[in-house]
Structures are given as C-alpha cells and as structure tokens.
Amino acid sequence: MPLDQAGPASRPKLRIAVDIGGTFTDLAAFDEAAGELRFGKALTTHGALVEGIQNTVEGAGASFADAHLFLHGSTIAINTLLERTGAKTALLVTEGFRDIYEIGRVNRPDAYNLFFRKHVPLVERASRYEVHERLLASGAVHKPLDEDHLRKVLRSIEPGSVEAVAILLLHSYRNPAHEVRVKQIVAEELPGAFVSASHELSQEYREFERVSTVAANAYVGPRVATYLGELSEHLDEHGFGGAFFVVQSTGGLFPVEHARRDCVRMLESGPAAGVIGTQAICEGLGLQDAIAFDMGGTTAKAGVIHGGKPLTTGSALIGGYEQALPIQIPMTDIFEVGTGGGSIARLGQGNALRVGPQSAGSMPGPVCYGRGGTEPTVTDANLLLGRLDPDNFLGGTMALDLAAARRAMEEKIAGPLGMEVMQAADGILRIAVTTMSYAVKAVTTERGLDVGSFVMAVYGGAGPLHASAIAREIGIRQVMIPYAPGYFSAYGMLFSDLRYDYVRSCFRRLATADFAEIEGLYAGMESEGMAAIEGSAVKPEGVTIERAADMRYVGQEHAVTVDLPRELFEGGDREAIKRHFDAQHAVRYGTSAPGEPAELVSLRVTVSGLMRKPPRHAVPSGGEQPEAEALVRRKQVYFRGMIDTPVYRRDLLRAGNRIAGPALIEEHASTTVLQPGDALEVDAAGNLLIAIGSDMQ
C-alpha cells in the first residue's frame, strides 16, 4: 500500500516538515490519525543545523519514530553561495572556452557607475582546465574526446587541492555522451571528489548560464551533500523509517538522494514552500492573484500567485543584478532583500541611518534576546514601540530585555542623531518598510503587473508586524495574514507535491514547426517524469502533466515562458499558440506584436505527483464583536505618537469577528499590527483579512 495512504494502525501517522531560516528553525507536523497540526520553533543552531532541527521537533512534542514522511527546506545552499564558503572547485571545459565563465555576458547594468564591479566566478582561472573535444550545435561529434589528455590533466592537479569538479562541454545539452564519459574518468582519477556535469542540471542552450549553474552546484555540493547525509543518519538513529524529501526552488518535492546530487535545485526551498502554502490558501478563498510576502529574522522575500498559479522562471540571478551569477534551473520567481527582524541598524557616512543587510541572526541575535547582541535591530525597534510584548514573546517561552534594547538604541542611534528613542525606533521601521517594498515591486510592477489589484498574503515571524505599513507604502488595499504565519514556510511544505521539471532547447519557427517532432520531444520528457514518479518511495494520489514553451518574436534575443494546453499541440493550432504568446508578452513587457512571426526556443514539461493534503484549518463562528476573553489587555503603542491600543489573542478570535485599528493580535510566533484606520475581519479558515486604511493617524 502506498506510504502516504491509509494503512495499518501500527504505521506511523506523522508528516513532519522543517524549514531552517537564518534566525529560527520552524516545524509543522500533521498527525494524520488525529487530524491535528502541531508547530514548533527554535533558534537556528548555525554550525550544527541538525541539532536545531532536533530541538524544534522535541519542542513540538513530536518524534521522528512516529513519522512516515519528512519534508525539509534549508538556506544552506543559498547561504554557501552568497557567503562564498563552498568547496575548492575545478572546472573542466571544452578546449578554447576556458574563459566563458569569467567573460559572461559583458553586461554593464549601470553605465555611469564608476565603481561598478564585474561578477567574481566561484572558480578561479588557475583551476579551470581545457578538455580536448568538441561537439557541433547539432550534437554531432566534431572532435572526439581525448581521454589520455584528460587523464594527464587530472593527474596534474595537486592531491587534496580540489574537493569538487564541475564539467561543462559545449553543446552537451544536445548530446551528453562526452560529459558522461568525462564524469566517469574524473571519478576514477579523483575518487572522493564531488562531480557535477552540466547536462544533469540543464538541457538548455546558453553556455555562460550553464557553466555558471554547474559551477555553483559543484561549489555548494560537498557542504550540502554532507549536511543532508548527516541529517539522514540522524533520522535513522532516531527511529525514522519513512521517506525523506527535500523542497526544490519550484516548491515541489524531490528525494534526498537527488538533492545530494543536484544541490542548486534547493536554493530557494523555504521561500518557495511559502508560495505553495499561499497558493493553497488562495484556492480555498477563490483568489486568483496574490502576493506572497515572507519576512523572517534575516531576509524578506516576495513571490506572486497569478491566475491561480505561482509565477516561475527558468533562471535567476544569485547575488544581486550587478554582480550576480546566473542559475539556469526552473524555480519560483522570488525576489529577496536583506531586511528581517534581526537586521542591524547602523549610522553610516554623514550619520545616515542604514538598516541591514547585515543581520544579528540567531547568535548573538537582537539586543533584546540577551545573547550578546550589542547593535539595535528591527526587532529591538518593534519592542521599544510597544508592538512586541517582552513577557509574551514566543508564547512567553523567551523573555525579551526591554531595558537593554533601550540602552542600545540610545547609545548607537538616538543619541548620535539627537533624537528621542521612540523616534529613532520608528525611523528604523520606516527605512525597513521602504526596503521591503522593493521586493514586492520587483515581482509585480517590474513584471508588468498592477500591484494595487493584488491581495498581499503576509507571513514569517516578523511579517505581520509590518504588513500594514508595507501595503500603505505601495498602494495595496487588502492584506491577508494566514493561519500560523510564524511557521508558514514549514506549513506550506505540507501542501507540496512531488515535482519533476524538464526542458529541451528546440529552435523552430512557429509557422513551419513540425508538430510530430515537437510531440515526440514532449512525450520523451513526460515519460522521464512518469518514471521518476513511479520510482518514488511515496506513491501519489494522482499525476498531472503541464506543458509550456519558451517563445520569442523572430529577431529577439530573450524569450518568455508560455503555459500551453496539450490540445493546442495535438491539434496543431498555430494561431492559438501565437495568441497565448502575444498575451503573455503583453503581460511581461506591456506590449505585443500580433502581426510579427514567432518562434519556439525551448519546450518545458512539469510532471507532478499529487500528495494528500492536510485538511483546511477552520475556526468556530462568532459575532462581529470578539468575545470578552479575546481582549487580553490594553497598552500604549507608538503610531507617530503613543496610542492606547487593545491587544487580542488570535486563538480566541472567531469567524466573523471584526476589529478596527489600532490593535495588536498576538499569537505564539507572531504579532499582527493594525494601524489606525485599518479594519480586520476573521474568515471561516481563521485568516485575518485586513482592509488597509488610507491615512495614518
């Protein structure tokens, strides 16, 4: 019987999902027998991540021995890239192309910036070696692989100087035979090295993007593979006998053994899971368009649900546009800024106040954590303004030091600026809000979408504190705070499906394309996906297959991805395909050219194995007025001045309750701030639906 379906009473019934962030490690567990959800949160233990996971599991009263499924998302891959703490890596590349990784696209995003710096490759030039071989663009062999020369090159590498090897051979997306053989030889000559070949990650053209992707995979590979191996051993030692899946950057699940090889596929695993959770909630509410906004302790991220589906991309720039390294794999379209609850506020040149991107993380953490932090952070500012309760943080399990936060704010910010402490704290939040609004604009306005027409779903431990302010900053009128926002990325993993993405470059004019050939390419990718699903340890309840194509107008350089129903290709409906492309081009760029010829660039297939989902959360019905016990106290909170503000317990609110701002709604791992003028209503699923006021009072 499939592992994820009902079975004997003795079978473990728990499904555990864990997301590791820069500050906290979050857990969401679904007890299939009792139909209950459990949550846990603990500080991330950097340097010993497995320990933090165990702390979270124990804090939630769960056990790995009681689980049949473990789902995991982590920032370890992206952090290794951004912090440049990866393995000593060598790059094997086709003869004559040693420098394509460094040359890149020769783009200069800011033409008048005298301080512009080019991207810095993860592999230095001395560690890039040429391989004597060459394929043609058709995949035919132009120059056979010289195996003897390759072995001489590998033997010339000083023992112990290389931990990982990346392989990029020209046109291997057409014919991977040479890369396959090179990988075999590397394994023989450099046993113990992590080896990654480009065709395993990307079947698309564009050699710079492909070499950047495989180099990144090799660079993070040893650290990620070691970590996942240690976690697997830890699970075994604690009686876990189920299936271990990792969340990909698409929000889909893939087996841990695949994750240990294709590490770059989990770069944005946690944020992508949050977008999947947002999609699930939007389905329940009948919403087609929503912004998924996640603010944790270190960063803030934004993604988009458009037309009921998460927006995805075939590539992303990691490390900021100016010096970024491209990663050419399917992923959820997410934009990230270095602003979170732990973001440090500092005075720069000319006493200019800066917030982030440096973060206090979990150690030492914000000053108020009492773990050795000395510089004020966004969390310290929220505490001083009365928006956090020093005696009720994380449900009272972690006391906050208000006096220490005040001293740090006075000494580091308010005193040097000649301001009151409360004004300084408010200034920090205003700067943070402006920075975070850039993330939302990047995935909406810059994608050709009208941000004002979207509902913004806000989660993460720090997100609901700033939701109203961010919405006001960019003109959003409706905000939704979902159930359990402080654990939401982990919660979203419980709604993820098995997912396999495939892509094949296929340059064909739409007007003359051979649909039989195209159908053959699609069918081949779909067969691969079905085989992967059938070989999974967890058998899904159903399978869906989605087709798309990268298309462009003839003469263009870059393409847009267009979702295309299967029947358009089966019927050879060129006009309908062209209309879909024109419409998507208009959304993406604000214009289209229906009279211009188009061409296909790449074909894409997504095969998903549908997992059984936990039931939707529901709350009892109540009247418009919250019950008396839901109002736990009143306190002074700063909103451009101190205002007497009611504080409610979220778990005691009922469907239909309405609250007018200003107000605070507290729960175990988060606090929602209603500003003056805002109006809140609780829906049947327990979501907080906020109509944003027009003016600050």
Side-chain angles (χ1 to χ4, degrees):
M1 180 173 288
L3 289 176
D4 69 325
Q5 297 179 8
S10 60
R11 183 181 68 81
K13 300 291 187 180
L14 206 60
R15 192 186 309 182
I16 296 177
V18 173
D19 173 51
I20 297 181
T23 304
F24 286 99
T25 297
D26 300 329
L27 173 144
F30 176 54
D31 187 328
E32 297 176 356
E36 295 177 350
L37 283 164
R38 307 181 202 171
F39 298 101
K41 183 183 284 282
L43 289 167
T44 297
T45 49
H46 297 284
L49 296 176
V50 175
E51 179 184 336
I53 292 174
Q54 185 62 40
N55 293 341
T56 310
V57 171
E58 292 174 357
S63 168
F64 288 121
D66 295 332
H68 73 94
L69 192 61
F70 179 68
L71 312 177
H72 186 43
S74 173
T75 57
I76 185 171
I78 186 70
N79 287 347
T80 300
L81 274 185
L82 296 178
E83 296 166 3
R84 298 292 178 117
T85 55
K88 293 178 288 187
T89 304
L91 173 63
L92 300 178
V93 65
T94 298
E95 181 183 14
F97 292 85
R98 181 183 183 187
D99 294 316
I100 59 172
Y101 186 27
E102 191 153 350
I103 294 170
R105 292 291 168 200
V106 204
N107 60 319
R108 190 180 179 89
D110 189 349
Y112 300 101
N113 182 1
L114 299 178
F115 303 99
F116 169 74
R117 291 184 297 156
K118 210 169 173 297
H119 72 269
V120 179
L122 299 170
V123 183
E124 60 182 10
R125 193 173 194 274
S127 296
R128 301 176 215 148
Y129 303 93
E130 296 187 344
V131 178
H132 291 182
E133 67 83 43
R134 182 66 186 270
L135 298 178
L136 299 177
S138 64
V141 176
H142 177 66
K143 181 178 181 179
L145 173 64
D146 188 337
E147 295 189 8
D148 291 337
H149 177 265
L150 174 60
R151 291 186 187 275
K152 289 179 182 178
V153 168
L154 295 173
R155 290 168 185 172
S156 71
I157 297 175
E158 185 178 342
S161 64
V162 168
E163 301 169 87
V165 178
I167 304 167
L168 183 284
L169 302 182
L170 213 62
H171 305 306
S172 59
Y173 63 94
R174 289 285 192 206
N175 178 3
H178 282 185
E179 280 197 353
V180 171
R181 182 57 184 151
V182 170
K183 185 173 181 178
Q184 293 171 346
I185 294 172
V186 172
E188 295 169 6
E189 297 293 338
L190 299 175
F194 182 95
V195 188
S196 183
S198 69
H199 74 274
E200 298 170 337
L201 300 166
S202 174
Q203 293 283 328
E204 294 181 77
Y205 80 117
R206 297 191 185 280
E207 304 311 317
F208 168 53
E209 286 76 7
R210 293 177 64 241
V211 71
S212 179
T213 302
V214 72
N217 194 64
Y219 184 75
V220 305
R223 184 177 177 188
V224 174
T226 298
Y227 162 68
L228 292 176
E230 291 174 350
L231 181 52
S232 296
E233 292 176 4
H234 181 85
L235 294 176
D236 292 340
E237 291 169 0
H238 286 74
F240 178 70
F244 178 3
F245 285 84
V246 175
V247 182
Q248 304 177 63
S249 297
T250 57
L253 305 173
F254 69 151
V256 65
E257 56 269 23
H258 293 185
R260 294 182 68 177
R261 185 193 74 176
D262 301 343
C263 307
V264 293
R265 295 192 187 278
M266 58 180 290
L267 285 177
E268 296 286 2
S269 57
V275 176
I276 295 299
T278 302
Q279 179 190 24
I281 290 177
C282 288
E283 287 176 356
L285 296 176
L287 288 176
Q288 290 292 300
D289 300 324
I291 297 162
F293 183 83
D294 176 8
M295 181 185 177
T298 306
T299 59
K301 288 83 64 175
V304 167
I305 309 296
H306 185 52
K309 294 183 179 181
L311 289 187
T312 59
T313 179
S315 63
L317 294 171
I318 305 299
Y321 182 57
E322 293 83 359
Q323 301 178 58
L325 292 168
I327 303 296
Q328 187 170 260
I329 58 171
M331 59 178 63
T332 305
D333 193 358
I334 290 171
F335 192 88
E336 183 170 321
V337 293
T339 303
S343 293
I344 294 171
R346 291 173 174 160
L347 297 181
Q349 263 188 335
N351 267 0
L353 180 58
R354 311 285 185 189
V355 181
Q358 298 81 13
S359 174
S362 60
M363 179 59 76
V367 176
C368 61
Y369 282 11
R371 298 167 63 88
T374 60
E375 297 183 278
T377 66
V378 171
T379 295
D380 295 306
N382 276 303
L383 177 63
L384 290 167
L385 296 175
R387 302 180 183 191
L388 291 176
D389 190 325
D391 300 318
N392 197 40
F393 189 70
L394 293 183
T397 60
M398 183 176 176
L400 301 181
D401 191 337
L402 178 61
R406 183 177 297 277
R407 285 194 301 272
M409 188 68 70
E410 174 64 39
E411 294 172 4
K412 303 284 186 176
I413 307 296
L417 292 178
M419 302 174 68
E420 296 293 331
V421 166
M422 302 300 269
Q423 291 176 322
D426 183 57
I428 289 171
L429 294 195
R430 292 169 67 182
I431 292 171
V433 163
T434 299
T435 302
M436 289 186 288
S437 71
Y438 297 154
V440 178
K441 293 174 183 176
V443 294
T444 52
T445 306
E446 293 182 14
R447 301 290 188 268
L449 303 173
D450 176 13
V451 67
S453 65
F454 284 73
V455 173
M456 186 167 71
V458 181
Y459 49 91
L465 283 163
H466 307 90
S468 177
I470 295 168
R472 289 168 185 263
E473 179 79 11
I474 54 183
I476 291 176
R477 309 317 311 165
Q478 297 289 328
V479 166
M480 174 180 64
I481 310 297
Y483 171 63
Y487 313 91
F488 196 73
S489 288
Y491 177 62
M493 293 177 192
L494 299 176
F495 293 89
S496 293
D497 295 314
L498 300 177
R499 175 166 171 157
Y500 293 89
D501 292 273
Y502 302 92
V503 59
R504 299 286 186 273
S505 287
C506 173
F507 300 95
R508 300 289 186 273
R509 290 283 184 102
L510 178 60
T512 57
D514 182 344
F515 279 92
E517 176 195 19
I518 291 172
E519 183 62 31
L521 290 171
Y522 272 127
M525 291 187 283
E526 290 166 2
S527 296
E528 282 188 62
M530 290 299 297
I533 295 290
E534 291 169 2
S536 172
V538 175
K539 304 306 177 186
E541 294 188 329
V543 176
T544 63
I545 297 175
E546 297 178 346
R547 290 182 174 184
D550 291 354
M551 298 181 65
R552 64 189 180 190
Y553 293 112
V554 174
Q556 279 187 319
E557 166 64 11
H558 293 282
V560 296
T561 300
V562 187
D563 292 328
L564 295 170
R566 175 189 294 268
E567 55 268 22
L568 297 185
F569 288 98
E570 292 175 345
D573 194 340
R574 302 177 199 272
E575 291 184 1
I577 293 173
K578 179 64 162 51
R579 286 196 298 271
H580 276 72
F581 165 60
D582 290 334
Q584 185 60 36
H585 197 281
V587 169
R588 182 67 181 84
Y589 295 109
T591 185
S592 63
E596 293 295 321
E599 61 185 359
L600 301 167
V601 176
S602 295
L603 307 179
R604 297 182 181 274
V605 163
T606 297
V607 182
S608 300
L610 305 180
M611 303 286 283
R612 189 153 55 93
K613 308 298 189 293
R616 308 287 183 185
H617 179 67
V619 296
S621 296
E624 289 193 10
Q625 184 70 28
E627 296 176 6
E629 57 267 28
L631 178 60
V632 291
R633 63 187 174 281
R634 302 186 71 91
K635 63 185 295 189
Q636 293 292 306
V637 180
Y638 188 91
F639 294 101
R640 303 293 192 273
M642 302 304 293
I643 298 178
D644 182 56
T645 303
V647 181
Y648 295 89
R649 272 182 54 178
R650 182 169 183 177
D651 61 320
L652 296 180
L653 295 179
R654 300 291 178 254
N657 286 175
R658 296 174 181 267
I659 299 172
L664 302 181
I665 293 87
E666 292 183 344
E667 54 190 299
H668 185 273
S670 189
T671 298
T672 298
V673 173
L674 285 187
Q675 298 203 53
D678 293 345
L680 176 150
E681 181 176 358
V682 183
D683 72 5
N687 301 307
L688 307 182
L689 308 180
I690 304 172
I692 301 300
S694 58
D695 299 306
M696 289 293 294
Q697 296 180 7

